[in-house]
Amino acid sequence: MDYTDPLYTAGMTDHQRAWFYAEYEQARRDEVIGVLLAIFLGSFGLHHFYLRRNGIGVLYLLFSWTGIPAILGFIEAFFMPGRVRAYNAIQANYIAGQIRATSPTGAPLAASRTNIVCPACGNPLAASAGFCSRCGARTA
């Protein structure tokens, strides 16, 4: 398993953290596979299908007979590591949000937090707030 930012699992119980890593391991994509797909099968857009970008993958597939997607696939191989990392970050954020949405008893975890203040400006926040309405800082 690759390193995952502890920001996603901060405040989770051990059970929730294990659940997160199990779900994340199934959802994540590998950078090397993304690069190899872009180099060798980029003319068919498989590197886009790999990251669930089906619309552009179909476009590459439709124009694969022209050879232009092959050239673009080779160029995009250099951008694939960053795209895969961004995809993995989105997946980790989504999984963590789903796990945090309910506690083991089914009650929302956000409702159990009281007296929440913005770490940047000290503005009182609602229990379910993700960002401060005054300064825009992210709440933990």
Side-chain angles (χ1 to χ4, degrees):
M1 178 188 319
D2 66 327
Y3 172 76
T4 304
D5 191 359
L7 172 70
Y8 301 117
T9 59
M12 288 186 181
T13 64
D14 290 336
H15 176 72
Q16 289 172 327
R17 191 172 289 116
W19 184 14
F20 169 82
Y21 283 116
E23 291 292 326
Y24 177 73
E25 188 61 31
Q26 289 182 353
R28 68 179 286 277
R29 299 290 189 243
D30 193 339
E31 294 175 19
V32 174
I33 292 174
V35 170
L36 292 175
L37 285 173
I39 291 173
F40 295 112
L41 298 171
S43 61
F44 302 110
L46 288 182
H47 58 294
H48 290 294
F49 288 114
Y50 184 63
L51 296 180
R52 296 184 183 166
R53 301 172 69 192
N54 296 338
I56 192 131
V58 168
L59 189 66
Y60 271 56
L61 198 56
L62 289 174
F63 287 99
S64 63
W65 62 273
T66 65
I68 294 171
I71 296 168
L72 292 176
F74 181 76
I75 294 170
E76 287 181 341
F78 295 101
F79 298 107
M80 281 304 289
R83 288 181 180 168
V84 171
R85 283 191 294 270
Y87 175 86
N88 287 341
I90 290 169
Q91 293 300 312
N93 194 24
Y94 176 76
I95 292 167
Q98 292 296 316
I99 291 173
R100 281 193 181 105
T102 57
S103 68
T105 60
L109 287 177
S112 65
R113 296 175 19 186
T114 59
N115 299 332
I116 302 170
V117 294
C118 175
C121 67
N123 183 38
L125 301 172
S128 61
F131 294 94
C132 177
S133 60
R134 182 188 295 172
C135 68
R138 185 174 186 186
T139 61

